[in-house]
Amino acid sequence: MCYHGTPVNIIVGSHVWIEDPEVSWIDGQVSKINGKDAEIETTNGKKVVASLSKILPKDMEAPPGGVDDMTKLSYLHEPGVLQNLKIRYELNEIYTYTGNILIAINPFQRLPHIYGAHMMHQYKGAPFGELSPHVFAVADVAYRAMIHEGKSNSILVSGESGAGKTETTKMLMQYLAFLGGRAATEGRTVEQQVLESNPVLEAFGNAKTVRNNNSSRFGKFVEIQFDKSGRISGAAIRTYLLERSRVCQVNDPERNYHCFYLLCNAPQEEVEKYKLGNPRSFHYLNQSKCYELADVSDAREYLATRRAMDIVGISQKDQEAIFRVVAAILHIGNIEFTKGKEVDSSIPKDDTAKFHLKTTAELLMCDIDALEDALCKRVMITPEEVIKRSLDPQSAAVSRDGLAKTLYSRLFDWLVDKINNSIGQDPNSKCLIGVLDIYGFESFKSNSFEQFCINFTNEKLQQHFNQAKSQTTLHTSSLLIAVFSVCDMIKSFTCLLLTA
Ligand SMILES: Nc1ncnc2c1ncn2[C@@H]1O[C@H](COP(=O)(O)OP(=O)(O)OP(=O)(O)O)[C@@H](O)[C@H]1O
Ligand SMILES: [Mg+2]
């Protein structure tokens, strides 16, 4: 039997790990060996027969409180690693190293004592590994390498959906702002703008899913630029793969993007201005019965998002335009079609559909007839002529949804551009620290093509960063943080091995 290429002797009396369908791995002691099989008495009182090739040795000398760096484990195999993480998690130690990789387990509760200002002061300049494993220590290494060696760095935050990547990314950014921030003179500082870009992006790019009430439905790479003296001088946010399908199709008990619910819960005069109302009255929202999030007030979040937009530097006029498009998308979704007079043609179904068509045209400031034409007809351009063909009601609904998705993804890209222009880049910056908050891995019973693209992109990105790490010529090295939520730890483990 081999693990990490080393053969191990399993004899009667050996303490071992075997796979268990319920708890993933269970430990026990070998009581008999018959040829290629072993009989094991497990610690939960069962007798199990398993093939010797499936049995892994258990380290009986491991410290009872676990180890803070898993390279210190005698056996760096799956049950050994999981056991170590479990022991530490039970002792409220959510961070553990494997060499220079940080593994974070989602605590699912606020832990202000480990992220406060005093902790930031402690980790500042402390040699890596001297203090308990922490996300600040990783950011500190990146910052110091940049200052002392003039080296740009990227920190890759990887893990399954709901594991805690975005929260970890925010901590990293907060710590970098602490290290490289300057005393606020007047107005907004770059680091304030960078930090406040998070709630703005989350309002438009995050949604409640089965796994996470605030799931990022896009990938994000934030480049924080520094000047010669190590102060933050600019930033750029790059996003990829926004989940467009969510705009028109939401599965119960998930929600559409937060911004739709925020706007429906805005102050009364805003709701009236955009002719909105109860989210239950909109097709793009009422496909799921979930409208509210536990412990979150959409009305308060709306105001917080507007404030964050102010800080980031988005003008009132632009904010108005952004929410006009958000409202228009809700109205577009309510334009239903019925058969027109001609064969295979369509027209708005009734007065309600006409009302939503008219409101959409008003909000988008476009011609109502042109909008109806765009939805109910298809234009085909051939070398000889331009052909306009009517669409049946079903096809018109498809083109309606296509318009909504394109409008939303363009709005999102435009918003990211706006944030970038407002924060500003530093053309003279020689060093930067990049933080990649990947689009969380997800695996369903039946996976869509979109899911395939997300997982494939993540794998590719991870490989790209790992290669960058081994190529010194790239002048960029990368650090890895793998985050797990406890319930997903077993499944997520593959991801850790892949990247380690
Ligand atoms: N370090 C932490 N401290 C406290 N709570 C946390 C921490 N990390 C994660 N959480 C909790 O877990 C939830 C999910 O975390 P987060 O949104 O960061 O997941 P994610 O990995 O970005 O998922 P997705 O891929 O779906 O975007 C957070 O809303 C928060 O409640
Ligand atoms: Mg996230």
Side-chain angles (χ1 to χ4, degrees):
M1 204 259 327
C2 288
Y3 64 98
H4 289 268
T6 321
V8 165
N9 260 346
I10 303 271
I11 53 168
V12 172
S14 294
H15 291 270
V16 294
W17 289 103
I18 48 166
E19 277 189 272
D20 181 271
E22 269 163 38
V23 291
S24 191
W25 291 92
I26 185 107
D27 54 347
Q29 201 170 3
V30 177
S31 54
K32 233 188 249 169
I33 293 186
N34 293 322
K36 288 187 176 166
D37 289 336
E39 191 182 277
I40 296 128
E41 281 177 19
T42 62
T43 46
N44 61 355
K46 288 188 196 155
K47 261 198 182 137
V48 184
V49 175
S51 159
L52 275 171
S53 61
K54 296 262 170 69
I55 299 174
L56 293 172
K58 184 180 174 193
D59 181 9
M60 296 306 287
E61 264 119 60
V67 291
D68 59 1
D69 182 345
M70 295 202 283
T71 55
K72 293 181 196 158
L73 289 175
S74 307
Y75 304 126
L76 195 62
H77 52 38
E78 187 171 314
V81 164
L82 290 177
Q83 173 75 358
N84 189 61
L85 293 174
K86 184 166 172 261
I87 293 172
R88 287 178 62 76
Y89 188 73
E90 280 161 2
L91 296 170
N92 285 330
E93 299 281 356
I94 63 163
Y95 295 116
T96 306
Y97 293 127
T98 297
N100 60 358
I101 297 171
L102 177 73
I103 293 165
I105 309 279
N106 191 339
F108 283 113
Q109 55 178 304
R110 294 283 144 212
L111 301 170
H113 62 285
I114 63 167
Y115 301 116
H118 70 288
M119 276 301 218
M120 294 195 182
H121 283 286
Q122 273 193 26
Y123 278 88
K124 187 176 175 181
F128 190 77
E130 192 178 278
L131 300 174
S132 303
H134 202 292
V135 62
F136 293 162
V138 176
D140 203 77
V141 170
Y143 185 77
R144 270 185 290 131
M146 183 185 76
I147 299 294
H148 300 311
E149 299 159 43
K151 216 165 150 190
S152 290
N153 250 305
S154 285
I155 304 173
L156 170 63
V157 188
S158 177
E160 273 198 301
S161 179
K165 297 176 295 298
T166 303
E167 293 296 319
T168 303
T169 303
K170 285 190 245 177
M171 316 284 185
L172 284 168
M173 285 162 73
Q174 254 156 25
Y175 187 73
L176 291 171
F178 159 76
L179 292 180
R182 52 189 92 220
T185 41
E186 56 183 65
R188 305 171 291 252
T189 61
V190 176
E191 59 273 15
Q192 239 181 326
Q193 288 185 296
V194 175
L195 293 177
E196 285 303 314
S197 68
N198 281 320
V200 178
L201 285 178
E202 286 183 18
F204 290 84
N206 285 26
K208 177 202 183 310
T209 64
V210 178
R211 281 161 176 258
N212 184 357
N213 277 1
N214 187 31
S215 179
S216 326
R217 311 312 297 165
F218 64 103
K220 176 179 75 184
F221 184 60
V222 184
E223 259 180 46
I224 302 178
Q225 299 153 351
F226 293 83
D227 63 16
K228 276 192 217 115
S229 58
R231 300 272 153 230
I232 296 177
S233 55
I237 301 166
R238 297 178 215 290
T239 59
Y240 61 93
L241 276 178
L242 178 79
E243 184 183 49
R244 286 162 45 108
S245 58
R246 182 168 297 269
V247 177
C248 311
Q249 195 193 339
V250 189
N251 297 327
D252 204 55
E254 303 204 340
R255 285 209 321 180
N256 209 317
Y257 288 103
H258 295 325
C259 63
F260 293 115
Y261 306 86
L262 302 193
L263 190 56
C264 287
N265 287 286
Q268 198 52 35
E269 67 269 20
E270 306 258 315
V271 174
E272 280 167 17
K273 184 166 71 185
Y274 299 124
K275 302 199 171 97
L276 294 173
N278 196 316
R280 286 165 183 78
S281 57
F282 292 100
H283 170 60
Y284 286 161
L285 309 183
N286 64 22
Q287 297 164 48
S288 161
K289 296 286 156 284
C290 176
Y291 298 97
E292 280 132 35
L293 301 180
D295 306 324
V296 177
S297 150
D298 285 319
R300 255 205 310 272
E301 287 300 309
Y302 173 79
L303 298 175
T305 306
R306 293 293 291 239
R307 263 196 310 277
M309 285 172 146
D310 289 339
I311 295 175
V312 166
I314 300 173
S315 68
Q316 287 301 316
K317 191 165 153 269
D318 284 342
Q319 291 183 29
E320 174 105 352
I322 289 165
F323 284 108
R324 237 183 18 239
V325 176
V326 173
I329 292 171
L330 286 181
H331 286 289
I332 289 178
N334 278 11
I335 308 174
E336 286 186 275
F337 302 96
T338 188
K339 279 184 186 156
K341 280 197 202 104
E342 292 159 37
V343 194
D344 282 345
S345 70
S346 54
I347 50 167
K349 189 174 151 194
D350 48 23
D351 283 347
T352 311
K354 280 184 196 148
F355 161 78
H356 289 291
L357 179 72
K358 182 166 165 281
T359 313
T360 306
E362 279 166 13
L363 290 169
L364 296 180
M365 298 174 172
C366 68
D367 182 67
I368 181 167
D369 296 325
L371 179 64
E372 184 179 333
D373 241 29
L375 297 176
C376 298
K377 296 200 172 97
R378 177 175 299 152
V379 177
M380 286 182 288
I381 302 168
T382 68
E384 288 82 33
E385 57 183 335
V386 175
I387 308 164
K388 233 182 193 183
R389 193 167 70 80
S390 298
L391 296 173
D392 60 26
Q394 219 179 350
S395 309
V398 172
S399 78
R400 169 199 74 193
D401 289 350
L403 176 64
K405 285 189 272 194
T406 302
L407 265 174
Y408 195 78
S409 65
R410 294 268 185 98
L411 172 70
F412 188 72
D413 291 346
W414 183 85
L415 190 63
V416 175
D417 271 354
K418 263 265 150 269
I419 295 174
N420 281 332
N421 289 336
S422 161
I423 298 177
Q425 323 268 304
D426 175 6
N428 301 318
S429 166
K430 293 273 180 298
C431 287
L432 58 90
I433 295 181
V435 185
L436 179 71
D437 175 7
I438 71 155
Y439 196 138
F441 288 91
E442 280 178 309
S443 177
F444 301 107
K445 263 193 195 136
S446 132
N447 290 293
S448 63
F449 179 67
E450 211 158 4
Q451 207 53 55
F452 169 77
C453 294
I454 294 165
N455 291 351
F456 181 72
T457 307
N458 285 339
E459 293 287 353
K460 280 280 174 205
L461 267 170
Q462 219 142 289
Q463 278 167 17
H464 172 79
F465 275 83
N466 280 346
Q467 273 160 18
K469 194 173 177 173
S470 55
Q471 285 171 17
T472 43
T473 45
L474 269 177
H475 206 62
T476 303
S477 53
S478 57
L479 300 154
L480 176 72
I481 300 182
V483 283
F484 301 103
S485 55
V486 132
C487 52
D488 296 328
M489 220 157 82
I490 314 302
K491 279 185 278 156
S492 313
F493 191 75
T494 356
C495 151
L496 169 69
L497 284 187
L498 266 174
T499 52

PDB file of all heavy atoms in Angstrom, residues 136-160:
ATOM      1  N   PHE A 136      -4.071  37.682   7.680  1.00  0.00           N
ATOM      2  CA  PHE A 136      -3.230  38.892   7.705  1.00  0.00           C
ATOM      3  C   PHE A 136      -1.769  38.542   7.438  1.00  0.00           C
ATOM      4  O   PHE A 136      -1.033  39.327   6.842  1.00  0.00           O
ATOM      5  CB  PHE A 136      -3.326  39.598   9.064  1.00  0.00           C
ATOM      6  CG  PHE A 136      -4.678  40.188   9.365  1.00  0.00           C
ATOM      7  CD1 PHE A 136      -5.028  40.522  10.678  1.00  0.00           C
ATOM      8  CD2 PHE A 136      -5.597  40.424   8.353  1.00  0.00           C
ATOM      9  CE1 PHE A 136      -6.268  41.069  10.966  1.00  0.00           C
ATOM     10  CE2 PHE A 136      -6.849  40.964   8.633  1.00  0.00           C
ATOM     11  CZ  PHE A 136      -7.190  41.289   9.946  1.00  0.00           C
ATOM     12  N   ALA A 137      -1.348  37.357   7.918  1.00  0.00           N
ATOM     13  CA  ALA A 137       0.049  36.954   7.732  1.00  0.00           C
ATOM     14  C   ALA A 137       0.353  36.788   6.244  1.00  0.00           C
ATOM     15  O   ALA A 137       1.431  37.157   5.772  1.00  0.00           O
ATOM     16  CB  ALA A 137       0.318  35.656   8.486  1.00  0.00           C
ATOM     17  N   VAL A 138      -0.626  36.258   5.487  1.00  0.00           N
ATOM     18  CA  VAL A 138      -0.431  36.069   4.049  1.00  0.00           C
ATOM     19  C   VAL A 138      -0.314  37.437   3.367  1.00  0.00           C
ATOM     20  O   VAL A 138       0.584  37.669   2.540  1.00  0.00           O
ATOM     21  CB  VAL A 138      -1.609  35.268   3.437  1.00  0.00           C
ATOM     22  CG1 VAL A 138      -1.468  35.144   1.939  1.00  0.00           C
ATOM     23  CG2 VAL A 138      -1.687  33.894   4.081  1.00  0.00           C
ATOM     24  N   ALA A 139      -1.197  38.354   3.735  1.00  0.00           N
ATOM     25  CA  ALA A 139      -1.154  39.695   3.144  1.00  0.00           C
ATOM     26  C   ALA A 139       0.152  40.388   3.517  1.00  0.00           C
ATOM     27  O   ALA A 139       0.740  41.109   2.711  1.00  0.00           O
ATOM     28  CB  ALA A 139      -2.354  40.506   3.622  1.00  0.00           C
ATOM     29  N   ASP A 140       0.615  40.145   4.728  1.00  0.00           N
ATOM     30  CA  ASP A 140       1.851  40.779   5.195  1.00  0.00           C
ATOM     31  C   ASP A 140       3.059  40.294   4.385  1.00  0.00           C
ATOM     32  O   ASP A 140       3.917  41.091   4.008  1.00  0.00           O
ATOM     33  CB  ASP A 140       2.048  40.480   6.688  1.00  0.00           C
ATOM     34  CG  ASP A 140       2.940  41.511   7.341  1.00  0.00           C
ATOM     35  OD1 ASP A 140       2.447  42.625   7.599  1.00  0.00           O
ATOM     36  OD2 ASP A 140       4.136  41.210   7.520  1.00  0.00           O
ATOM     37  N   VAL A 141       3.095  38.997   4.096  1.00  0.00           N
ATOM     38  CA  VAL A 141       4.193  38.445   3.283  1.00  0.00           C
ATOM     39  C   VAL A 141       4.193  39.115   1.909  1.00  0.00           C
ATOM     40  O   VAL A 141       5.242  39.534   1.400  1.00  0.00           O
ATOM     41  CB  VAL A 141       4.016  36.917   3.084  1.00  0.00           C
ATOM     42  CG1 VAL A 141       4.991  36.384   2.055  1.00  0.00           C
ATOM     43  CG2 VAL A 141       4.189  36.190   4.383  1.00  0.00           C
ATOM     44  N   ALA A 142       2.998  39.207   1.325  1.00  0.00           N
ATOM     45  CA  ALA A 142       2.885  39.804  -0.005  1.00  0.00           C
ATOM     46  C   ALA A 142       3.386  41.248   0.024  1.00  0.00           C
ATOM     47  O   ALA A 142       4.145  41.684  -0.848  1.00  0.00           O
ATOM     48  CB  ALA A 142       1.432  39.758  -0.474  1.00  0.00           C
ATOM     49  N   TYR A 143       2.996  41.986   1.048  1.00  0.00           N
ATOM     50  CA  TYR A 143       3.359  43.402   1.144  1.00  0.00           C
ATOM     51  C   TYR A 143       4.864  43.563   1.355  1.00  0.00           C
ATOM     52  O   TYR A 143       5.514  44.375   0.695  1.00  0.00           O
ATOM     53  CB  TYR A 143       2.578  44.048   2.290  1.00  0.00           C
ATOM     54  CG  TYR A 143       2.788  45.539   2.397  1.00  0.00           C
ATOM     55  CD1 TYR A 143       2.150  46.414   1.521  1.00  0.00           C
ATOM     56  CD2 TYR A 143       3.627  46.072   3.372  1.00  0.00           C
ATOM     57  CE1 TYR A 143       2.342  47.790   1.625  1.00  0.00           C
ATOM     58  CE2 TYR A 143       3.822  47.438   3.477  1.00  0.00           C
ATOM     59  CZ  TYR A 143       3.176  48.294   2.609  1.00  0.00           C
ATOM     60  OH  TYR A 143       3.372  49.650   2.701  1.00  0.00           O
ATOM     61  N   ARG A 144       5.403  42.731   2.241  1.00  0.00           N
ATOM     62  CA  ARG A 144       6.843  42.862   2.528  1.00  0.00           C
ATOM     63  C   ARG A 144       7.697  42.474   1.328  1.00  0.00           C
ATOM     64  O   ARG A 144       8.709  43.105   1.043  1.00  0.00           O
ATOM     65  CB  ARG A 144       7.219  42.053   3.769  1.00  0.00           C
ATOM     66  CG  ARG A 144       7.085  42.934   5.021  1.00  0.00           C
ATOM     67  CD  ARG A 144       7.543  42.240   6.252  1.00  0.00           C
ATOM     68  NE  ARG A 144       6.621  41.181   6.618  1.00  0.00           N
ATOM     69  CZ  ARG A 144       6.994  39.941   6.912  1.00  0.00           C
ATOM     70  NH1 ARG A 144       8.265  39.614   6.860  1.00  0.00           N
ATOM     71  NH2 ARG A 144       6.104  39.047   7.248  1.00  0.00           N
ATOM     72  N   ALA A 145       7.253  41.422   0.603  1.00  0.00           N
ATOM     73  CA  ALA A 145       8.006  41.019  -0.598  1.00  0.00           C
ATOM     74  C   ALA A 145       8.013  42.170  -1.595  1.00  0.00           C
ATOM     75  O   ALA A 145       8.999  42.413  -2.286  1.00  0.00           O
ATOM     76  CB  ALA A 145       7.370  39.785  -1.219  1.00  0.00           C
ATOM     77  N   MET A 146       6.909  42.885  -1.635  1.00  0.00           N
ATOM     78  CA  MET A 146       6.810  44.002  -2.575  1.00  0.00           C
ATOM     79  C   MET A 146       7.747  45.141  -2.165  1.00  0.00           C
ATOM     80  O   MET A 146       8.482  45.695  -2.970  1.00  0.00           O
ATOM     81  CB  MET A 146       5.357  44.477  -2.600  1.00  0.00           C
ATOM     82  CG  MET A 146       5.104  45.576  -3.572  1.00  0.00           C
ATOM     83  SD  MET A 146       3.429  46.140  -3.393  1.00  0.00           S
ATOM     84  CE  MET A 146       3.566  47.087  -1.887  1.00  0.00           C
ATOM     85  N   ILE A 147       7.746  45.454  -0.886  1.00  0.00           N
ATOM     86  CA  ILE A 147       8.569  46.568  -0.394  1.00  0.00           C
ATOM     87  C   ILE A 147      10.067  46.223  -0.492  1.00  0.00           C
ATOM     88  O   ILE A 147      10.855  47.006  -1.001  1.00  0.00           O
ATOM     89  CB  ILE A 147       8.213  46.899   1.086  1.00  0.00           C
ATOM     90  CG1 ILE A 147       6.754  47.329   1.190  1.00  0.00           C
ATOM     91  CG2 ILE A 147       9.154  47.936   1.684  1.00  0.00           C
ATOM     92  CD1 ILE A 147       6.416  48.633   0.511  1.00  0.00           C
ATOM     93  N   HIS A 148      10.426  45.047  -0.008  1.00  0.00           N
ATOM     94  CA  HIS A 148      11.854  44.731   0.084  1.00  0.00           C
ATOM     95  C   HIS A 148      12.455  44.230  -1.220  1.00  0.00           C
ATOM     96  O   HIS A 148      13.613  44.469  -1.497  1.00  0.00           O
ATOM     97  CB  HIS A 148      12.102  43.695   1.201  1.00  0.00           C
ATOM     98  CG  HIS A 148      11.650  44.196   2.542  1.00  0.00           C
ATOM     99  ND1 HIS A 148      12.004  45.435   3.017  1.00  0.00           N
ATOM    100  CD2 HIS A 148      10.868  43.642   3.501  1.00  0.00           C
ATOM    101  CE1 HIS A 148      11.448  45.616   4.210  1.00  0.00           C
ATOM    102  NE2 HIS A 148      10.737  44.536   4.516  1.00  0.00           N
ATOM    103  N   GLU A 149      11.661  43.485  -2.002  1.00  0.00           N
ATOM    104  CA  GLU A 149      12.237  42.895  -3.217  1.00  0.00           C
ATOM    105  C   GLU A 149      11.666  43.512  -4.487  1.00  0.00           C
ATOM    106  O   GLU A 149      11.978  43.072  -5.587  1.00  0.00           O
ATOM    107  CB  GLU A 149      11.965  41.373  -3.240  1.00  0.00           C
ATOM    108  CG  GLU A 149      12.588  40.630  -2.074  1.00  0.00           C
ATOM    109  CD  GLU A 149      11.885  39.301  -1.849  1.00  0.00           C
ATOM    110  OE1 GLU A 149      11.592  38.613  -2.831  1.00  0.00           O
ATOM    111  OE2 GLU A 149      11.613  38.968  -0.676  1.00  0.00           O
ATOM    112  N   GLY A 150      10.777  44.488  -4.331  1.00  0.00           N
ATOM    113  CA  GLY A 150      10.162  45.118  -5.500  1.00  0.00           C
ATOM    114  C   GLY A 150       9.360  44.118  -6.320  1.00  0.00           C
ATOM    115  O   GLY A 150       9.288  44.196  -7.541  1.00  0.00           O
ATOM    116  N   LYS A 151       8.763  43.167  -5.635  1.00  0.00           N
ATOM    117  CA  LYS A 151       8.099  42.064  -6.313  1.00  0.00           C
ATOM    118  C   LYS A 151       6.582  42.215  -6.230  1.00  0.00           C
ATOM    119  O   LYS A 151       6.043  42.400  -5.141  1.00  0.00           O
ATOM    120  CB  LYS A 151       8.485  40.797  -5.553  1.00  0.00           C
ATOM    121  CG  LYS A 151       8.670  39.586  -6.399  1.00  0.00           C
ATOM    122  CD  LYS A 151       9.406  38.567  -5.555  1.00  0.00           C
ATOM    123  CE  LYS A 151       9.067  37.171  -5.906  1.00  0.00           C
ATOM    124  NZ  LYS A 151       9.591  36.231  -4.940  1.00  0.00           N
ATOM    125  N   SER A 152       5.916  42.109  -7.379  1.00  0.00           N
ATOM    126  CA  SER A 152       4.451  42.096  -7.345  1.00  0.00           C
ATOM    127  C   SER A 152       3.991  40.707  -6.922  1.00  0.00           C
ATOM    128  O   SER A 152       4.675  39.730  -7.174  1.00  0.00           O
ATOM    129  CB  SER A 152       3.885  42.420  -8.717  1.00  0.00           C
ATOM    130  OG  SER A 152       4.119  43.767  -9.015  1.00  0.00           O
ATOM    131  N   ASN A 153       2.844  40.649  -6.309  1.00  0.00           N
ATOM    132  CA  ASN A 153       2.340  39.385  -5.794  1.00  0.00           C
ATOM    133  C   ASN A 153       0.858  39.237  -6.070  1.00  0.00           C
ATOM    134  O   ASN A 153       0.141  40.230  -6.141  1.00  0.00           O
ATOM    135  CB  ASN A 153       2.506  39.378  -4.269  1.00  0.00           C
ATOM    136  CG  ASN A 153       3.567  38.400  -3.851  1.00  0.00           C
ATOM    137  OD1 ASN A 153       3.492  37.236  -4.194  1.00  0.00           O
ATOM    138  ND2 ASN A 153       4.546  38.883  -3.109  1.00  0.00           N
ATOM    139  N   SER A 154       0.429  37.999  -6.204  1.00  0.00           N
ATOM    140  CA  SER A 154      -1.018  37.771  -6.297  1.00  0.00           C
ATOM    141  C   SER A 154      -1.431  36.792  -5.222  1.00  0.00           C
ATOM    142  O   SER A 154      -0.689  35.855  -4.935  1.00  0.00           O
ATOM    143  CB  SER A 154      -1.384  37.166  -7.645  1.00  0.00           C
ATOM    144  OG  SER A 154      -1.316  38.160  -8.624  1.00  0.00           O
ATOM    145  N   ILE A 155      -2.573  37.015  -4.650  1.00  0.00           N
ATOM    146  CA  ILE A 155      -3.096  36.085  -3.651  1.00  0.00           C
ATOM    147  C   ILE A 155      -4.352  35.461  -4.247  1.00  0.00           C
ATOM    148  O   ILE A 155      -5.287  36.168  -4.622  1.00  0.00           O
ATOM    149  CB  ILE A 155      -3.410  36.815  -2.329  1.00  0.00           C
ATOM    150  CG1 ILE A 155      -2.156  37.552  -1.829  1.00  0.00           C
ATOM    151  CG2 ILE A 155      -3.919  35.820  -1.282  1.00  0.00           C
ATOM    152  CD1 ILE A 155      -2.404  38.445  -0.628  1.00  0.00           C
ATOM    153  N   LEU A 156      -4.317  34.160  -4.349  1.00  0.00           N
ATOM    154  CA  LEU A 156      -5.434  33.445  -4.963  1.00  0.00           C
ATOM    155  C   LEU A 156      -6.306  32.856  -3.859  1.00  0.00           C
ATOM    156  O   LEU A 156      -5.817  32.098  -3.023  1.00  0.00           O
ATOM    157  CB  LEU A 156      -4.845  32.346  -5.846  1.00  0.00           C
ATOM    158  CG  LEU A 156      -5.744  31.285  -6.438  1.00  0.00           C
ATOM    159  CD1 LEU A 156      -6.735  31.906  -7.381  1.00  0.00           C
ATOM    160  CD2 LEU A 156      -4.901  30.262  -7.190  1.00  0.00           C
ATOM    161  N   VAL A 157      -7.568  33.231  -3.847  1.00  0.00           N
ATOM    162  CA  VAL A 157      -8.474  32.713  -2.820  1.00  0.00           C
ATOM    163  C   VAL A 157      -9.422  31.723  -3.492  1.00  0.00           C
ATOM    164  O   VAL A 157     -10.228  32.105  -4.345  1.00  0.00           O
ATOM    165  CB  VAL A 157      -9.267  33.849  -2.138  1.00  0.00           C
ATOM    166  CG1 VAL A 157     -10.048  33.305  -0.955  1.00  0.00           C
ATOM    167  CG2 VAL A 157      -8.340  34.949  -1.686  1.00  0.00           C
ATOM    168  N   SER A 158      -9.288  30.475  -3.130  1.00  0.00           N
ATOM    169  CA  SER A 158     -10.014  29.438  -3.843  1.00  0.00           C
ATOM    170  C   SER A 158     -10.908  28.642  -2.897  1.00  0.00           C
ATOM    171  O   SER A 158     -10.652  28.574  -1.700  1.00  0.00           O
ATOM    172  CB  SER A 158      -8.982  28.507  -4.490  1.00  0.00           C
ATOM    173  OG  SER A 158      -9.628  27.451  -5.135  1.00  0.00           O
ATOM    174  N   GLY A 159     -11.929  28.020  -3.413  1.00  0.00           N
ATOM    175  CA  GLY A 159     -12.797  27.191  -2.583  1.00  0.00           C
ATOM    176  C   GLY A 159     -14.194  27.128  -3.156  1.00  0.00           C
ATOM    177  O   GLY A 159     -14.529  27.830  -4.112  1.00  0.00           O
ATOM    178  N   GLU A 160     -15.008  26.296  -2.547  1.00  0.00           N
ATOM    179  CA  GLU A 160     -16.372  26.104  -3.039  1.00  0.00           C
ATOM    180  C   GLU A 160     -17.259  27.285  -2.680  1.00  0.00           C
ATOM    181  O   GLU A 160     -16.922  28.082  -1.797  1.00  0.00           O
ATOM    182  CB  GLU A 160     -16.960  24.847  -2.403  1.00  0.00           C
ATOM    183  CG  GLU A 160     -16.611  23.615  -3.193  1.00  0.00           C
ATOM    184  CD  GLU A 160     -17.526  22.475  -2.838  1.00  0.00           C
ATOM    185  OE1 GLU A 160     -17.568  22.090  -1.669  1.00  0.00           O
ATOM    186  OE2 GLU A 160     -18.221  21.982  -3.730  1.00  0.00           O
TER     187      GLU A 160
END
